[in-house]
Structure formats: structure tokens, C-alpha cells
Amino acid sequence: MTTKSMEKGSGDRRAIRTKRMIRTALAELIYEKGFNNISVTDLAQRADINRGTFYLHYVDKYDLLEKVEGEIIQELERETHDLGSGNMLRMDSTNEPLPFMVKLFEYFKKNAAIIQAILGPGGDPSFDRKIKKFIEHNLFEKQKSEGLNPEEALISEEYFIPYILSADLGVIQHWLEKGMRESPEEMALALARMSLLGPLRAVGIRKDI
Amino acid sequence: MTTKSMEKGSGDRRAIRTKRMIRTALAELIYEKGFNNISVTDLAQRADINRGTFYLHYVDKYDLLEKVEGEIIQELERETHDLGSGNMLRMDSTNEPLPFMVKLFEYFKKNAAIIQAILGPGGDPSFDRKIKKFIEHNLFEKQKSEGLNPEEALISEEYFIPYILSADLGVIQHWLEKGMRESPEEMALALARMSLLGPLRAVGIRKDI
DNA sequence: ATGAAAATGAACACACTGTTGATTAAATAT
DNA sequence: ATATTTAATCAACAGTGTGTTCATTTTCAT
């Protein structure tokens, strides 16, 4: 887009420092009082910068949130784009997690503070959808209906993807909130098993079906 | 609490009318511009009432949202409390949906406008949790771990409930957004099958496991 | 060391807030 | 049908946060 580097003032130490402090303040404040109740004044105070400085980098607090979310998605794409072929529909072992899912849990663990804030009750309800869309692109890419036999389908094809995506994200959130006690590998495996066998059989009940 | 009826001014026709108009305005405006960007002034204009009148009923817009959400949960409880025994863990037929789930879809269809607004991207991220908690109380009440054999569990018991709750709500949201083309019975049955058999087998892929 | 870029501090009009008091309108009760 | 009670209106108020500007100071890159 721009002719110079890539964005206005992203090369300067000060600008980077300022943005970092604003982002940290954002995570803290969302967690403390919810995004709704945050003012730019709050952010500036918490980040220990002049209020005017905030407007040097962001239009308003919504612009800030949007950009932070965008950077998270971009970073996720960067860290997972080389993990191709790990398609959900081809997964056949209940003893090996999908590499993509492992990476996902690892990234979430690494950036738990800001992600938990945005995904949490005081966060942004639209981020949920952005994450799901990202996961969908990676789990069900292209060959969506390959190997799918409409004759044998017990349910409409339309709903099993939202089912899995929501389930996965729900488990991720639960894991985050409970302090990330399990390893990314354990979690990714648990998800694979629940989607393959069904949550009820995977947990040991209902092995009779 | 109060000695008189139950709440200040809830018996008067005018008060009821006003509240109804404010609620309708709320649903519309959330849908249009998101709860974040709504002002009390907006609500009053859209509902065609004096701004001061709003403050006669609610403290602020957050109070309004909270009360609307509370009423939804209360109404749900009222409409489903007689549907006992429909426990998820005891469900054994893949041809009969849980009555509780059918009722849930029916209620959501009946109140689609406001619920879609609050659950949607411009809505309240904490409502998600309230709904899930309500569903959990009804699907997994009390006898949580009955019939559960820890020896045979492939995954930690802790995660299958969040898995199912998130999956269910995700499917409900998808159904709402796509215009509620399927009947509540169809949807409840699809959910039952996916949780019993696993989403992948239920849709016709992966019958080999 | 010098020019460029970022951060500061103060000031500004503006929009929305939440409250008040006086007045009008409409519902309920008898 | 009228009296009484309750809700809604209207205008005005100070208060808070907004987004912008401009002159000035500080820091960075080279």
C-alpha cells in the first residue's frame, strides 16, 4: 500500500514502545472492566502516555481493538501456513493430534493475556467469528465435501462444520480460563477424539453405539 | 422485594408499552450498529420516547441489556422447567430429539430478533455464557458423572461438557443466521446425533471408526 | 551534530450523560 | 364520571470523555 516501509511510524522505537504499552493496557483494562467501559483516557493513563499520543496511532478505541485482532490473526497465519495437509476430514488416528491444532494451542498459550481478554465476557463478540473462520480455512480447506456420501448422511451437511468449530473454540476458551494445565498436544488430541468418536464416547460413556 | 406489586411501574399500560418499544429499539440498533455504538439518545429517538423517560425505567443502557437478558433466561426457565428427565447422558436413540432441545429451538425462533442481536457480532459476549450455563443445568443436571467409567475415558472428563455446550450453541447461532429453515425437531435431532455418534460420523463421512 | 519523527501539554468545541423540577397526559380505582 | 395516582414530556444543568489543533520538547536515526 504505502510506498515507504509498511506503515506510518512503525519503525521508530518510540512508536513501537508506545503501541506495546497501549496493547498491554488494553488487555488489562478489558479484563478488569470490559471493553465497553474503557475510555481512551483510561488507556492513556494506564499506558502512561499522553492522551494525544493515542490519537497519533489509532482513530479510537475500536480502531485499536480491530488492529490488535488483525495482528493476532496475521500472526496465526504466519505460524501455521506451512502446516498443510492436516485436514480434519482425512484424520484417521485417534492417537495423533492434528499439527495445526497443536500449534493453535501453543499460540494461544503464548498470548494468553490478550486473547483471553478479547475472547472473554468483557471482550469482543465478533472476535469469536474471526477465530472460527481462521480455523475453518485450515481444517476444512477446499475439499470440503470430498468423501461425503449424501445417501448416508444422518444430518444436513451444513451443520457439522459450525458444530466442530464452536466446540473446538469452546474447549480452547475453557482451557484458557482454567489456567492451561494440559499440554497443547493433550488438548489437540482430546479435540480430535471428540470429533472423531463423538464427545460422549470419547469420554467413556456410551461406548455401546 | 417491594411491598406493592413486584416492580415499580410494571403494571401500568404505558410503562409496559414504553418498555416494549425500548426493547424493540434495542434489538434493531444492536443489529444495525452494535451495542457499543448505541447511545441512550439513540434508543430514545428510535423508540420515540423522551430521553428522560428512558431513565425512569433503566439506569443506563447496560442496565437495559442486563434486564432484557435476565428476562430471556427467566422465560426460558419457565417454558422448560417441566421437561425433566431429558438428560443427555441417558439419551440412547438417534431417532428422537431431546424435548428440552426442541423447546429451546422453538423459543429461539419465536424471539429470534432480540436473541440474534444479543448473540450476534455486535452483541454481548457474556450472554453466550449465560445461555450455555442454562443449557448445562438442563442437560447435565446433577447426575453428571453417573455411568462414567474413568478407566475407559479417552479424554479428561472436564472437557466434554464445554465441547457439547459450545457446539450446540454454535449450531443454534448458525441456524438463526441462516434464516431458521429447518424445524426445531430436525435441529434437535441433528444435535443429538452429532453428540452421540460424533459430528463426522453423523454427517456420513468416517463411518469406519 | 543535524534533520526527522514522536510525544507532550494545553486548549477548544462537541456530543452524550445523568439528574432535576415543573408541567401535561394518561391510566387506574372508587 | 371523577378523583387520584402514576407515567411521560420538556427544558435546563453541570459533568465527562471525545477528537482535533498547535506550539513545544524529547527522542531517534544516521
Side-chain angles (χ1 to χ4, degrees):
Chain A
M1 280 290 184
T2 41
T3 33
K4 281 259 179 170
S5 49
M6 49 163 51
E7 191 77 39
K8 53 181 176 184
S10 36
D12 200 311
R13 268 189 234 161
R14 291 167 294 179
I16 295 173
R17 197 184 89 102
T18 300
K19 284 186 183 177
R20 195 186 60 234
M21 292 194 307
I22 291 176
R23 287 177 54 145
T24 303
L26 177 69
E28 289 176 14
L29 288 171
I30 288 180
Y31 195 81
E32 287 173 23
K33 39 195 279 191
F35 184 75
N36 284 332
N37 308 311
I38 297 177
S39 64
V40 173
T41 304
D42 290 336
L43 286 163
Q45 275 176 357
R46 178 65 61 100
D48 199 36
I49 57 163
N50 190 278
R51 189 171 64 89
T53 306
F54 178 93
Y55 292 105
L56 253 38
H57 297 285
Y58 306 102
V59 174
D60 52 30
K61 67 170 182 166
Y62 304 102
D63 181 51
L64 164 64
L65 183 63
E66 203 175 295
K67 281 180 174 148
V68 169
E69 290 178 356
E71 285 165 23
I72 291 172
I73 300 292
Q74 275 182 11
E75 227 174 301
L76 270 172
E77 276 165 355
R78 231 181 294 128
E79 296 201 11
T80 58
H81 77 104
D82 55 327
L83 268 53
S85 79
N87 191 292
M88 171 117 254
L89 303 183
R90 290 194 175 147
M91 182 174 59
D92 54 336
S93 163
T94 61
N95 287 316
E96 282 202 37
L98 290 174
F100 168 76
M101 273 299 177
V102 177
K103 258 276 186 287
L104 201 61
F105 276 98
E106 283 170 354
Y107 180 84
F108 281 3
K109 183 167 195 167
K110 198 171 62 188
N111 302 78
I114 183 68
I115 288 180
Q116 224 182 318
I118 303 181
L119 279 183
D124 173 16
S126 80
F127 192 57
D128 193 90
R129 293 153 189 267
K130 293 176 192 165
I131 297 277
K132 284 186 200 164
K133 186 164 289 179
F134 167 75
I135 299 179
E136 179 175 6
H137 287 328
N138 281 275
L139 281 192
F140 305 102
E141 205 169 351
K142 289 151 194 163
Q143 63 275 51
K144 241 184 192 177
S145 42
E146 168 191 342
L148 200 151
N149 189 343
E151 304 286 324
E152 299 172 356
L154 291 174
I155 61 157
S156 155
E157 183 191 350
E158 185 179 355
Y159 289 102
F160 90 96
I161 290 182
Y163 183 96
I164 292 180
L165 293 176
S166 297
D168 285 0
L169 187 52
V171 168
I172 290 174
Q173 275 186 258
H174 188 80
W175 176 71
L176 285 171
E177 281 167 16
K178 294 298 177 184
M180 303 164 283
R181 291 192 297 267
E182 295 84 359
S183 74
E185 287 80 11
E186 282 178 81
M187 292 309 296
L189 185 56
L191 281 184
R193 283 173 171 164
M194 286 197 276
S195 293
L196 272 176
L197 306 172
L200 260 18
R201 284 201 306 164
V203 84
I205 349 173
R206 330 280 340 204
K207 53 182 172 9
D208 53 307
I209 314 169
Chain B
M1 281 294 184
T2 42
T3 33
K4 280 260 178 170
S5 48
M6 51 163 50
E7 191 77 38
K8 53 181 176 182
S10 39
D12 200 310
R13 268 188 235 162
R14 290 167 296 178
I16 295 173
R17 197 184 88 103
T18 300
K19 284 186 182 179
R20 197 185 59 234
M21 293 194 306
I22 291 177
R23 287 177 54 145
T24 304
L26 177 69
E28 289 177 13
L29 288 171
I30 289 180
Y31 195 82
E32 288 173 23
K33 39 195 276 189
F35 183 74
N36 284 332
N37 307 311
I38 297 177
S39 65
V40 173
T41 305
D42 288 336
L43 286 163
Q45 276 175 357
R46 179 63 62 98
D48 199 36
I49 57 163
N50 190 277
R51 188 172 64 90
T53 305
F54 178 92
Y55 292 105
L56 253 39
H57 297 285
Y58 305 103
V59 174
D60 52 29
K61 68 169 181 168
Y62 304 103
D63 181 52
L64 164 63
L65 183 63
E66 202 176 295
K67 281 180 173 150
V68 169
E69 289 178 357
E71 287 166 22
I72 290 173
I73 300 293
Q74 276 182 10
E75 229 175 301
L76 270 171
E77 275 164 354
R78 231 179 294 126
E79 296 202 10
T80 58
H81 78 103
D82 54 328
L83 267 53
S85 79
N87 191 292
M88 170 116 254
L89 303 183
R90 291 197 175 143
M91 181 175 58
D92 54 337
S93 164
T94 60
N95 287 316
E96 281 202 38
L98 290 174
F100 168 75
M101 274 299 177
V102 177
K103 257 275 186 289
L104 202 61
F105 276 98
E106 283 170 354
Y107 180 83
F108 282 3
K109 183 166 196 168
K110 198 171 62 187
N111 301 80
I114 184 67
I115 288 179
Q116 224 183 319
I118 303 181
L119 279 182
D124 174 15
S126 80
F127 192 57
D128 193 271
R129 293 151 189 269
K130 293 177 192 165
I131 296 278
K132 283 186 200 165
K133 186 165 289 180
F134 167 75
I135 299 179
E136 179 175 6
H137 286 328
N138 282 275
L139 282 192
F140 304 102
E141 206 168 351
K142 287 151 196 164
Q143 64 275 53
K144 240 183 192 177
S145 43
E146 168 190 341
L148 200 151
N149 189 343
E151 303 286 324
E152 299 172 355
L154 291 175
I155 61 159
S156 154
E157 182 191 350
E158 185 179 355
Y159 289 102
F160 91 97
I161 290 183
Y163 183 96
I164 292 180
L165 293 177
S166 297
D168 285 0
L169 188 51
V171 168
I172 290 173
Q173 276 187 257
H174 188 82
W175 175 71
L176 285 170
E177 281 168 16
K178 294 298 177 186
M180 303 164 283
R181 291 192 297 268
E182 294 84 359
S183 74
E185 286 80 10
E186 282 178 80
M187 291 308 298
L189 184 57
L191 281 184
R193 283 172 171 166
M194 287 197 277
S195 293
L196 272 177
L197 306 172
L200 260 18
R201 283 200 306 163
V203 84
I205 350 174
R206 330 280 340 204
K207 52 184 178 359
D208 53 306
I209 313 168

